[in-house]
Short mmCIF file of all heavy atoms in Angstrom, two decimals:
data_model
loop_
_atom_site.label_atom_id
_atom_site.label_comp_id
_atom_site.label_asym_id
_atom_site.label_seq_id
_atom_site.Cartn_x
_atom_site.Cartn_y
_atom_site.Cartn_z
N TYR A 1303 26.56 33.43 -11.46
CA TYR A 1303 27.57 33.31 -12.53
C TYR A 1303 28.10 31.88 -12.56
O TYR A 1303 28.83 31.46 -11.67
CB TYR A 1303 28.71 34.31 -12.30
CG TYR A 1303 28.27 35.73 -12.54
CD1 TYR A 1303 28.23 36.66 -11.51
CD2 TYR A 1303 27.89 36.15 -13.81
CE1 TYR A 1303 27.81 37.97 -11.73
CE2 TYR A 1303 27.47 37.46 -14.04
CZ TYR A 1303 27.44 38.35 -13.00
OH TYR A 1303 27.02 39.63 -13.23
N TYR A 1305 30.19 30.29 -14.29
CA TYR A 1305 31.61 29.96 -14.50
C TYR A 1305 32.41 30.07 -13.20
O TYR A 1305 33.59 29.72 -13.17
CB TYR A 1305 32.22 30.87 -15.58
CG TYR A 1305 32.00 32.34 -15.35
CD1 TYR A 1305 32.82 33.07 -14.51
CD2 TYR A 1305 30.94 33.01 -15.98
CE1 TYR A 1305 32.61 34.43 -14.30
CE2 TYR A 1305 30.72 34.35 -15.77
CZ TYR A 1305 31.56 35.06 -14.94
OH TYR A 1305 31.34 36.39 -14.71
N PHE A 1314 32.83 36.91 -4.02
CA PHE A 1314 32.30 38.07 -4.74
C PHE A 1314 31.21 38.77 -3.92
O PHE A 1314 31.21 39.99 -3.76
CB PHE A 1314 31.77 37.60 -6.10
CG PHE A 1314 30.79 38.52 -6.75
CD1 PHE A 1314 31.16 39.78 -7.16
CD2 PHE A 1314 29.48 38.11 -6.95
CE1 PHE A 1314 30.24 40.64 -7.76
CE2 PHE A 1314 28.56 38.96 -7.56
CZ PHE A 1314 28.94 40.23 -7.95
N ARG A 1317 32.67 40.55 -0.91
CA ARG A 1317 33.34 41.80 -1.31
C ARG A 1317 32.30 42.89 -1.58
O ARG A 1317 32.49 44.04 -1.20
CB ARG A 1317 34.17 41.54 -2.57
CG ARG A 1317 35.24 42.59 -2.78
CD ARG A 1317 36.07 42.29 -3.99
NE ARG A 1317 37.09 41.29 -3.75
CZ ARG A 1317 37.42 40.33 -4.60
NH1 ARG A 1317 36.79 40.21 -5.74
NH2 ARG A 1317 38.37 39.47 -4.31
N ALA A 1318 31.18 42.50 -2.19
CA ALA A 1318 30.12 43.49 -2.48
C ALA A 1318 29.54 44.04 -1.19
O ALA A 1318 29.09 45.18 -1.14
CB ALA A 1318 29.03 42.83 -3.32
N MET B 1300 32.32 48.17 -7.44
CA MET B 1300 32.66 48.19 -8.86
C MET B 1300 33.84 47.25 -9.16
O MET B 1300 33.82 46.52 -10.15
CB MET B 1300 33.03 49.61 -9.28
CG MET B 1300 33.10 49.78 -10.78
SD MET B 1300 33.31 51.49 -11.25
CE MET B 1300 35.04 51.73 -11.06
N THR B 1301 34.81 47.22 -8.22
CA THR B 1301 35.97 46.36 -8.43
C THR B 1301 35.56 44.89 -8.47
O THR B 1301 36.08 44.11 -9.27
CB THR B 1301 36.99 46.54 -7.27
OG1 THR B 1301 37.04 47.92 -6.95
CG2 THR B 1301 38.36 46.07 -7.65
N SER B 1302 34.60 44.53 -7.61
CA SER B 1302 34.18 43.13 -7.57
C SER B 1302 33.53 42.73 -8.90
O SER B 1302 33.77 41.64 -9.40
CB SER B 1302 33.22 42.89 -6.40
OG SER B 1302 32.20 43.83 -6.40
N ILE B 1303 32.75 43.63 -9.48
CA ILE B 1303 32.12 43.34 -10.78
C ILE B 1303 33.20 43.26 -11.85
O ILE B 1303 33.16 42.37 -12.72
CB ILE B 1303 31.09 44.45 -11.14
CG1 ILE B 1303 29.94 44.47 -10.13
CG2 ILE B 1303 30.56 44.27 -12.55
CD1 ILE B 1303 28.91 43.41 -10.30
N LEU B 1304 34.16 44.17 -11.79
CA LEU B 1304 35.26 44.18 -12.77
C LEU B 1304 35.98 42.83 -12.75
O LEU B 1304 36.22 42.21 -13.79
CB LEU B 1304 36.21 45.32 -12.42
CG LEU B 1304 37.39 45.60 -13.35
CD1 LEU B 1304 37.83 47.06 -13.18
CD2 LEU B 1304 38.58 44.71 -13.13
N LEU B 1305 36.28 42.36 -11.52
CA LEU B 1305 37.06 41.12 -11.40
C LEU B 1305 36.29 39.91 -11.93
O LEU B 1305 36.85 39.08 -12.64
CB LEU B 1305 37.47 40.90 -9.94
CG LEU B 1305 38.52 41.87 -9.41
CD1 LEU B 1305 38.77 41.65 -7.94
CD2 LEU B 1305 39.83 41.73 -10.18
N ILE B 1306 34.99 39.83 -11.60
CA ILE B 1306 34.27 38.64 -12.09
C ILE B 1306 34.01 38.75 -13.59
O ILE B 1306 33.89 37.73 -14.27
CB ILE B 1306 32.95 38.35 -11.34
CG1 ILE B 1306 32.01 39.53 -11.36
CG2 ILE B 1306 33.17 37.85 -9.95
CD1 ILE B 1306 30.59 39.09 -11.14
N THR B 1307 33.96 39.98 -14.11
CA THR B 1307 33.82 40.14 -15.57
C THR B 1307 35.06 39.57 -16.25
O THR B 1307 34.96 38.80 -17.21
CB THR B 1307 33.65 41.63 -15.93
OG1 THR B 1307 32.52 42.13 -15.24
CG2 THR B 1307 33.43 41.82 -17.42
N LEU B 1308 36.22 39.95 -15.71
CA LEU B 1308 37.47 39.44 -16.29
C LEU B 1308 37.55 37.92 -16.20
O LEU B 1308 37.88 37.24 -17.17
CB LEU B 1308 38.65 40.04 -15.53
CG LEU B 1308 39.30 41.29 -16.10
CD1 LEU B 1308 40.52 41.66 -15.29
CD2 LEU B 1308 39.70 41.13 -17.56
N LYS B 1309 37.18 37.41 -15.02
CA LYS B 1309 37.21 35.95 -14.81
C LYS B 1309 36.30 35.27 -15.83
O LYS B 1309 36.65 34.25 -16.42
CB LYS B 1309 36.71 35.64 -13.39
CG LYS B 1309 37.74 34.96 -12.55
CD LYS B 1309 37.21 34.71 -11.15
CE LYS B 1309 38.36 34.77 -10.18
NZ LYS B 1309 37.97 34.70 -8.81
N ASP B 1372 23.61 38.75 -18.83
CA ASP B 1372 23.26 38.78 -17.41
C ASP B 1372 21.75 38.80 -17.21
O ASP B 1372 21.23 38.19 -16.27
CB ASP B 1372 23.87 40.03 -16.73
CG ASP B 1372 25.31 39.79 -16.32
OD1 ASP B 1372 25.87 38.76 -16.71
OD2 ASP B 1372 25.87 40.65 -15.61
N VAL B 1381 22.69 39.75 -8.65
CA VAL B 1381 23.75 40.78 -8.55
C VAL B 1381 23.16 42.12 -8.08
O VAL B 1381 23.72 42.77 -7.20
CB VAL B 1381 24.49 40.95 -9.89
CG1 VAL B 1381 25.46 42.10 -9.84
CG2 VAL B 1381 25.23 39.67 -10.23
N LEU B 1382 22.03 42.50 -8.66
CA LEU B 1382 21.45 43.80 -8.27
C LEU B 1382 20.74 43.72 -6.92
O LEU B 1382 20.31 44.74 -6.39
CB LEU B 1382 20.50 44.31 -9.36
CG LEU B 1382 21.18 44.61 -10.70
CD1 LEU B 1382 20.18 45.14 -11.71
CD2 LEU B 1382 22.34 45.60 -10.55
N LEU B 1384 22.42 42.84 -4.44
CA LEU B 1384 23.53 43.20 -3.56
C LEU B 1384 23.55 44.73 -3.40
O LEU B 1384 22.96 45.43 -4.23
CB LEU B 1384 24.85 42.72 -4.17
CG LEU B 1384 24.96 41.20 -4.41
CD1 LEU B 1384 26.22 40.87 -5.20
CD2 LEU B 1384 24.95 40.45 -3.11
N LEU B 1386 24.87 47.20 -4.46
CA LEU B 1386 25.64 47.87 -5.52
C LEU B 1386 24.68 48.76 -6.30
O LEU B 1386 23.56 48.33 -6.58
CB LEU B 1386 26.22 46.84 -6.49
CG LEU B 1386 27.15 45.77 -5.96
CD1 LEU B 1386 27.33 44.67 -6.99
CD2 LEU B 1386 28.50 46.39 -5.65
N SER B 1387 25.14 49.95 -6.67
CA SER B 1387 24.28 50.77 -7.51
C SER B 1387 24.37 50.23 -8.94
O SER B 1387 25.36 49.58 -9.30
CB SER B 1387 24.72 52.23 -7.47
OG SER B 1387 25.94 52.36 -8.16
N SER B 1390 27.41 51.50 -10.73
CA SER B 1390 28.69 50.83 -10.47
C SER B 1390 28.71 49.46 -11.15
O SER B 1390 29.78 49.00 -11.57
CB SER B 1390 28.99 50.73 -8.97
OG SER B 1390 28.02 49.96 -8.35
N TYR B 1391 27.55 48.85 -11.28
CA TYR B 1391 27.48 47.57 -12.01
C TYR B 1391 27.86 47.79 -13.49
O TYR B 1391 28.69 47.06 -14.03
CB TYR B 1391 26.06 47.00 -11.89
CG TYR B 1391 25.74 45.92 -12.88
CD1 TYR B 1391 26.24 44.63 -12.74
CD2 TYR B 1391 24.91 46.18 -13.98
CE1 TYR B 1391 25.94 43.64 -13.67
CE2 TYR B 1391 24.61 45.20 -14.90
CZ TYR B 1391 25.13 43.93 -14.74
OH TYR B 1391 24.83 42.95 -15.67
N ILE B 1392 27.27 48.84 -14.09
CA ILE B 1392 27.57 49.15 -15.50
C ILE B 1392 29.05 49.47 -15.66
O ILE B 1392 29.72 48.96 -16.56
CB ILE B 1392 26.71 50.36 -15.98
CG1 ILE B 1392 25.23 50.00 -16.04
CG2 ILE B 1392 27.21 50.91 -17.32
CD1 ILE B 1392 24.83 49.12 -17.18
N LEU B 1393 29.55 50.33 -14.77
CA LEU B 1393 30.96 50.73 -14.89
C LEU B 1393 31.89 49.54 -14.65
O LEU B 1393 32.90 49.39 -15.35
CB LEU B 1393 31.29 51.86 -13.91
CG LEU B 1393 30.64 53.21 -14.25
CD1 LEU B 1393 31.00 54.26 -13.21
CD2 LEU B 1393 31.05 53.70 -15.63
N GLY B 1394 31.54 48.69 -13.69
CA GLY B 1394 32.34 47.50 -13.42
C GLY B 1394 32.38 46.58 -14.63
O GLY B 1394 33.44 46.07 -15.01
N ARG B 1395 31.23 46.38 -15.23
CA ARG B 1395 31.15 45.54 -16.43
C ARG B 1395 31.98 46.16 -17.57
O ARG B 1395 32.72 45.45 -18.26
CB ARG B 1395 29.68 45.42 -16.89
CG ARG B 1395 28.93 44.29 -16.22
CD ARG B 1395 29.49 43.02 -16.66
NE ARG B 1395 28.71 41.83 -16.43
CZ ARG B 1395 29.27 40.63 -16.37
NH1 ARG B 1395 30.57 40.50 -16.44
NH2 ARG B 1395 28.55 39.56 -16.22
N PHE B 1396 31.84 47.48 -17.74
CA PHE B 1396 32.58 48.16 -18.81
C PHE B 1396 34.08 48.06 -18.57
O PHE B 1396 34.86 47.73 -19.47
CB PHE B 1396 32.14 49.63 -18.93
CG PHE B 1396 32.94 50.39 -19.95
CD1 PHE B 1396 32.67 50.26 -21.31
CD2 PHE B 1396 33.97 51.23 -19.57
CE1 PHE B 1396 33.41 50.93 -22.27
CE2 PHE B 1396 34.73 51.91 -20.52
CZ PHE B 1396 34.44 51.77 -21.87
N GLY B 1398 35.72 45.92 -16.85
CA GLY B 1398 36.18 44.55 -17.04
C GLY B 1398 36.44 44.26 -18.51
O GLY B 1398 37.49 43.73 -18.89
#
Side-chain angles (χ1 to χ4, degrees):
Chain A
Y1303 290 114
Y1305 52 83
F1314 159 65
R1317 200 178 281 139
Chain B
M1300 192 172 82
T1301 320
S1302 50
I1303 296 282
L1304 184 156
L1305 290 175
I1306 56 157
T1307 303
L1308 265 185
K1309 242 178 211 173
D1372 276 10
V1381 174
L1382 296 181
L1384 301 172
L1386 301 166
S1387 71
S1390 62
Y1391 164 75
I1392 292 286
L1393 291 179
R1395 273 293 196 203
F1396 176 78

